[in-house]
Amino acid sequence: MNPSTRSTIEELAQRRVSLVEELPHNPSGLEWCAQHTRICDAVVRVVFEGVCEAVQGVSKIAVVATGGYGRSELAPYSDIDLTVVPGDESDKGIDAFVRSLFTDLHEAFGSMLKLEVGYAFRLVNDAAGLDAQSRTGLLDARRIAGASEPIDRLLEVLWESMPAGQFLLAKIRERNAAFKRYHDTPLVVEPHLKEGAGGMRCFQCANWIRAAIGERPALPTRAYEHVVRFRNLLHAAAGKKQDLLTRQRQAEIADTLGQDLYAMMSALVDSASSLHLEYQRAVDSLAHSRFWVSPGVLAVRGEARVSGDATMSEAAAGVAIATQLGLEVSDLPTLAKDEVNGAEARYAVCSGEATLRNLERCGLLMRILPELARCRVVMPRDATHAFTVYEHTIRVVRSLASLAPGSFLGDLMDGLHDPQPLLLAALLHDVGKIDESRPHAETGEAIAREVCARWEVADDDTETVAWLVGQHLLMSLFLRMRDIQNPQTALEFAAHVKDRERLDMLTLLTWADTRSVGEGVWTAAQEHMLEELHTRVVQVLDGDAPSAPDPAMYRRRLLRELRHEDIPESEVKEFVESLPAHYLISTPPEVVRLHIGFERRARSGESIVSFHHEPELGSTELTVCAPDAAGLLSKVLGVLYAFDVSLHGIRASTTRTDKPVAVDQFATSFGERPIPPGTCRELAVSLKRVIEGEEDVSELLRRRGKDPERLQRSFTFTYLPGTPGIMEVRAPRGKGMAYRFCNLITKAGWNIVSARVGQWAGRGAAAFYILGPEDRELSREEVEAVVGRQV
């Protein structure tokens, strides 16, 4: 920057200081902003002229003010938003010119005028592809220096390519987001004068809406002038860019103006209410206006009409935009073209439930996604589903759309890099049910690949969509059939999902899919387990979980955390060292502390029955601690079966001491709720009587109408060898399955380490984690030889 230019800018900077200092004594709104803008314009011109002298030979170039600067509405500390538009992008001198210009502008505004400056460099050819935010700034563009031709041509292309419907959606969503972040009514005590409801942005957005549909913008109103004046005063009082009018600043401004604080704020809120009404009327006007929503789709008095020369995907995308704008969708005409653009089709079907229903109603869904449309009346083959395959799918989409940040699932949804693969998978996850000749997930995965190929989905996204469809039952299977607290479960699941993005998507799809099956199918307990499994798998994927859990590490941790309890250290050490690895790695210290007391009493011959209710999960954790004896677990399960208590999980442990004690924990419920107090009392009495030999469990079962000799004849099973091995069982629905299989396992001389038991799709499912005598691993042949005799 040459000395002459610097001297001129210093004079302008001093003029600006004087203007700001004068503001509290002569408050003004738009007129003050116009004076401030003229000073800043002069700075830009001086800098531009200096650069033109220093860097010669550059063809026509325009320097343009955008946004608030373009509207000549610069508050004392508003940002200076500038865009440079070259006339000839192939000019070799442009780069040097722009670098020099931006450097000098930054020095002039940042160092000398103490204002933030933002730059953009736009080519005329870029105009058609600009996003809504960039277009918005250019709607208020005003040339400050240089040639007019480049900006004129850019604005011409900008308007010719204006995607009115998408632009309107973006502006309305921006306003809704701002209302949520700041305040959604102008009737607030501390208003945000720019972005809150009733702020300046409401009036500005109303004009952007008018411009997008071809109407003339409104001139600034008295209410707008009022809010602008207070924003100017707020900036001056704060000495920086600040738009939230706090109580403290209100008092300062009231003193400056010599006004009653409450009367002043009431008048300001009244003006803000007028601006908010201006915005609401602009949005409402969309229902009465005529404008092109998108290529091939015209809005006429609140109705979206598809023209006959639109392609199928243009029509679908237009219907999606119109639906989101709240327009009615007319019946579809005969389309002249069957062309489908994959990006437009994906946008349409991923735009939510209302769009899907409109696409289905007017026949477009059958044209662009027949795989889903054909499922409209396809009946599910299991009793738990309350809806047809199509309606279930629509409700899955609805569930995903209902999530908002602030909850476990909402934060997962908000954190997705791109939700479109998840939404496509949600639409396609059950389309395989159209063909019952093979598993629907397998058929669906093949269909998903065909759809992605037809719509030219990127290879990585295609793999994600196909994987989600093919594996959409995987997580629900683990929740029903695996011990979530066993570290091996997280390791096994992590090997399936491989990365965090797939884990998050599968978690969301599992929740939405199960929740949408029917009323009451998804429970709080399931959501708790879902979150726990997700958390544990994340630890594995992030490398925070040991690949092979070390029981010694958990023993040391427990000893350290229980060291200062009112329990002799020797007793703690004996208890911790006497228990198997699965207990140590899955039981928190506060529960271990409780169990030490139980074990002390049990060694004296007492049987302890303890209930811990979790109303928010609809469950009761039952703990039974008693001297170990053959068939103890089977007896407990028989009592639970007798009382019709639903069993969801078992963790069975036995101390290895001279007087072994069983410490068994059971996750239970009673009709999807915690066990009632009266039932708990009866259950505790019966459990103690059966455990202590005062009553035979077979007699209790007969007395309560159950057959203790009944075998589990109808079932299928698989066995995964390991330490422990996992025996998965599927059988007709019924509460006695766990009892019957426990009897079978006990008679074989094996030990049940833990178990998961549940009901799904009209059938029972269970996974028993088992070990042979002396905790040895059981082979597949051994298990099949014993269990196979039951079939």
Side-chain angles (χ1 to χ4, degrees):
M1 184 182 297
N2 62 53
S4 175
T5 299
R6 184 182 303 278
S7 176
T8 302
I9 293 173
E10 287 173 348
E11 292 177 10
L12 292 168
Q14 187 54 50
R15 284 176 54 190
R16 178 185 174 277
V17 170
S18 299
L19 187 66
V20 174
E21 290 175 347
E22 180 190 348
L23 178 60
H25 308 292
N26 187 20
S28 174
L30 293 170
E31 176 54 35
W32 190 95
C33 291
Q35 293 181 51
H36 188 208
T37 299
R38 286 193 288 271
I39 292 173
C40 293
D41 285 355
V43 172
V44 174
R45 292 189 186 104
V46 169
V47 170
F48 180 79
E49 290 166 3
V51 174
C52 285
E53 290 178 8
V55 184
Q56 305 249 337
V58 178
S59 61
K60 294 178 180 179
I61 193 167
V63 180
V64 179
T66 59
Y69 185 23
R71 293 188 300 273
S72 297
E73 294 178 0
L74 282 180
Y77 293 95
S78 291
D79 293 346
I80 306 297
D81 292 322
L82 292 166
T83 295
V84 173
V85 186
D88 182 1
E89 60 188 86
S90 64
D91 193 325
K92 295 180 180 179
I94 285 179
D95 286 348
F97 185 91
V98 170
R99 278 197 299 271
S100 182
L101 179 66
F102 284 177
T103 299
D104 286 0
L105 285 170
H106 181 76
E107 182 180 356
F109 283 108
S111 301
M112 301 171 75
L113 272 73
K114 307 300 182 185
L115 295 175
E116 293 288 331
V117 60
Y119 313 104
F121 182 80
R122 302 291 184 202
L123 301 176
V124 172
N125 292 336
D126 292 340
L130 291 178
D131 59 24
Q133 186 174 359
S134 300
R135 286 175 178 273
T136 303
L138 289 168
L139 290 183
D140 297 313
R142 179 177 55 84
R143 183 179 65 86
I144 305 173
S148 60
E149 182 183 342
I151 183 60
D152 290 344
R153 286 196 289 121
L154 185 142
L155 291 176
E156 183 181 351
V157 175
L158 187 83
W159 282 109
E160 287 176 350
S161 63
M162 172 63 81
Q166 289 184 329
F167 180 82
L168 292 169
L169 275 178
K171 293 298 100 182
I172 292 170
R173 286 169 177 166
E174 283 175 13
R175 285 284 72 218
N176 290 338
F179 294 158
K180 186 175 182 180
R181 181 178 178 183
Y182 299 105
H183 48 86
D184 59 3
T185 171
L187 306 179
V188 293
V189 175
E190 293 188 332
H192 194 280
L193 298 180
K194 183 180 179 182
E195 295 287 356
M200 294 164 58
R201 193 68 85 206
C202 279
F203 181 81
Q204 295 159 8
C205 191
N207 269 342
W208 297 330
I209 289 173
R210 294 185 185 102
I213 63 177
E215 295 184 358
R216 293 172 62 89
L219 295 174
T221 62
R222 183 177 298 177
Y224 189 65
E225 162 71 24
H226 192 182
V227 175
V228 171
R229 182 166 72 251
F230 269 80
R231 185 179 184 231
N232 289 344
L233 289 167
L234 175 56
H235 276 215
K240 61 181 180 180
K241 181 171 63 177
Q242 180 176 322
D243 296 319
L244 179 64
L245 185 54
T246 62
R247 286 178 171 87
Q248 178 185 344
R249 297 300 182 196
Q250 292 170 23
E252 294 174 17
I253 294 172
D255 287 343
T256 299
L257 299 178
Q259 294 183 9
D260 176 76
L261 170 62
Y262 299 103
M264 179 190 79
M265 288 305 300
S266 292
L268 180 62
V269 168
D270 189 44
S271 292
S273 298
S274 295
L275 298 190
H276 190 49
L277 183 60
E278 191 86 19
Y279 167 72
Q280 291 174 317
R281 285 173 174 165
V283 174
D284 292 343
S285 74
L286 299 178
H288 311 290
S289 303
R290 181 187 181 93
F291 61 95
W292 285 100
V293 173
S294 63
V297 179
L298 180 68
V300 182
R301 295 187 176 277
E303 181 184 26
R305 300 177 183 175
V306 179
S307 63
D309 61 350
T311 66
M312 282 196 296
S313 53
E314 284 176 341
V319 167
I321 296 169
T323 301
Q324 293 170 84
L325 287 173
L327 304 176
E328 295 292 327
V329 178
S330 63
D331 290 338
L332 192 70
T334 301
L335 298 178
K337 305 172 186 175
D338 281 343
E339 300 169 15
V340 174
N341 176 284
E344 290 176 330
R346 297 196 302 273
Y347 171 79
V349 300
C350 292
S351 295
E353 176 187 0
T355 295
L356 287 166
R357 294 197 185 279
N358 271 340
L359 291 173
E360 193 273 329
R361 185 189 63 78
C362 68
L364 264 175
L365 191 65
M366 180 59 80
R367 307 279 293 276
I368 64 170
L369 190 55
E371 294 86 351
L372 176 60
R374 292 191 188 108
C375 295
R376 185 173 180 274
V377 294
V378 172
M379 291 291 165
R381 297 300 180 97
D382 58 71
T384 55
H385 274 271
F387 310 103
T388 66
V389 171
Y390 172 81
E391 183 63 26
H392 164 73
T393 300
I394 297 298
R395 288 168 185 259
V396 171
V397 172
R398 178 194 297 177
S399 292
L400 291 173
S402 71
L403 293 169
S407 64
F408 160 62
L409 291 165
D411 288 342
L412 287 189
M413 191 71 182
D414 189 54
L416 293 180
H417 170 68
D418 178 8
Q420 193 173 91
L422 169 62
L423 296 174
L424 289 175
L427 291 169
L428 299 170
H429 78 284
D430 269 357
V431 294
K433 289 184 177 180
I434 198 76
D435 176 11
E436 292 294 335
S437 64
R438 56 177 177 162
H440 78 273
E442 182 181 324
T443 304
E445 180 177 351
I447 293 173
R449 291 187 181 280
E450 292 171 4
V451 172
C452 288
R454 187 169 76 231
W455 286 353
E456 299 179 324
V457 176
D459 290 347
D460 287 350
D461 287 347
T462 295
E463 290 305 313
T464 298
V465 173
W467 183 85
L468 285 170
V469 173
Q471 301 296 324
H472 74 273
L473 299 174
L474 178 68
M475 201 166 197
S476 61
L477 176 67
F478 267 70
L479 293 174
R480 297 194 311 274
M481 305 286 282
R482 290 287 193 272
D483 182 354
I484 304 303
Q485 294 179 324
N486 188 321
Q488 196 62 40
T489 300
L491 290 170
E492 183 182 349
F493 197 79
H496 283 286
V497 298
K498 294 184 175 62
D499 66 63
R500 176 66 185 271
E501 188 82 355
R502 281 190 173 185
L503 170 64
D504 291 351
M505 288 187 181
L506 185 58
T507 301
L508 289 162
L509 182 56
T510 300
W511 169 80
D513 184 19
T514 310
R515 182 176 185 264
S516 304
V517 164
E519 191 70 29
V521 173
W522 184 257
T523 65
Q526 286 173 299
E527 188 153 334
H528 175 75
M529 288 191 294
L530 181 76
E531 182 172 359
E532 184 172 359
L533 177 58
H534 179 277
T535 300
R536 289 172 179 266
V537 176
V538 167
Q539 291 173 347
V540 174
L541 294 174
D542 290 348
D544 295 334
S547 56
D550 180 9
M553 178 185 73
Y554 287 92
R555 283 193 177 93
R556 290 193 297 270
R557 185 200 68 182
L558 286 171
L559 289 171
R560 184 173 61 252
E561 295 192 18
L562 295 172
R563 183 175 298 158
H564 302 296
E565 298 295 327
D566 296 331
I567 306 171
E569 187 172 340
S570 59
E571 185 176 354
V572 173
K573 185 176 181 180
E574 181 183 5
F575 181 79
V576 169
E577 292 183 347
S578 72
L579 282 158
H582 69 266
Y583 178 91
L584 300 171
I585 62 182
S586 62
T587 310
E590 61 272 16
V591 177
V592 174
R593 183 185 307 119
L594 185 68
H595 289 172
I596 290 174
F598 288 170
E599 192 259 358
R600 183 191 301 151
R601 293 160 57 188
R603 291 182 72 175
S604 301
E606 183 181 355
S607 300
I608 296 92
V609 177
S610 172
F611 299 93
H612 174 68
H613 303 295
E614 297 181 286
E616 69 280 4
L617 301 180
S619 65
T620 296
E621 182 174 288
L622 165 66
T623 301
V624 175
C625 191
D628 190 37
L632 176 62
L633 182 59
S634 179
K635 291 178 181 179
V636 174
L637 292 178
V639 175
L640 296 180
Y641 176 33
F643 279 82
D644 290 318
V645 170
S646 296
L647 179 66
H648 306 293
I650 304 169
R651 298 198 65 78
S653 306
T654 304
T655 61
R656 297 184 177 122
T657 57
D658 55 339
K659 292 183 178 180
V661 170
V663 183
D664 297 341
Q665 300 162 267
F666 305 85
T668 66
S669 66
F670 194 84
E672 302 298 333
R673 67 184 193 278
I675 303 174
T679 305
C680 285
R681 288 191 292 270
E682 290 186 64
L683 194 57
V685 170
S686 292
L687 280 168
K688 289 184 178 183
R689 286 177 56 83
V690 168
I691 292 170
E692 294 170 3
E694 297 179 15
E695 183 173 13
D696 185 85
V697 69
S698 298
E699 293 303 316
L700 174 65
L701 284 164
R702 289 191 184 92
R703 183 158 50 84
R704 298 187 67 90
K706 307 291 194 300
D707 179 6
E709 307 302 326
R710 178 186 170 190
L711 299 178
Q712 189 75 43
R713 293 294 187 187
S714 178
F715 69 92
T716 59
F717 80 97
T718 58
Y719 179 68
L720 304 175
T723 313
I726 306 172
M727 183 171 73
E728 295 182 353
V729 179
R730 291 176 177 82
R733 187 169 185 161
K735 292 186 175 68
M737 181 178 66
Y739 166 68
R740 289 188 281 273
F741 270 98
C742 183
N743 278 341
L744 177 66
I745 292 167
T746 299
K747 289 176 182 177
W750 305 335
N751 299 315
I752 296 176
V753 171
S754 63
R756 286 280 296 124
V757 183
Q759 307 284 341
W760 179 252
R763 297 178 64 80
F768 295 93
Y769 289 68
I770 56 177
L771 291 168
E774 299 181 356
D775 289 347
R776 69 173 177 82
E777 180 178 334
L778 293 168
S779 68
R780 183 177 280 109
E781 291 74 19
E782 286 179 279
V783 174
E784 288 177 349
V786 171
V787 180
R789 289 199 296 268
Q790 292 287 108
V791 180

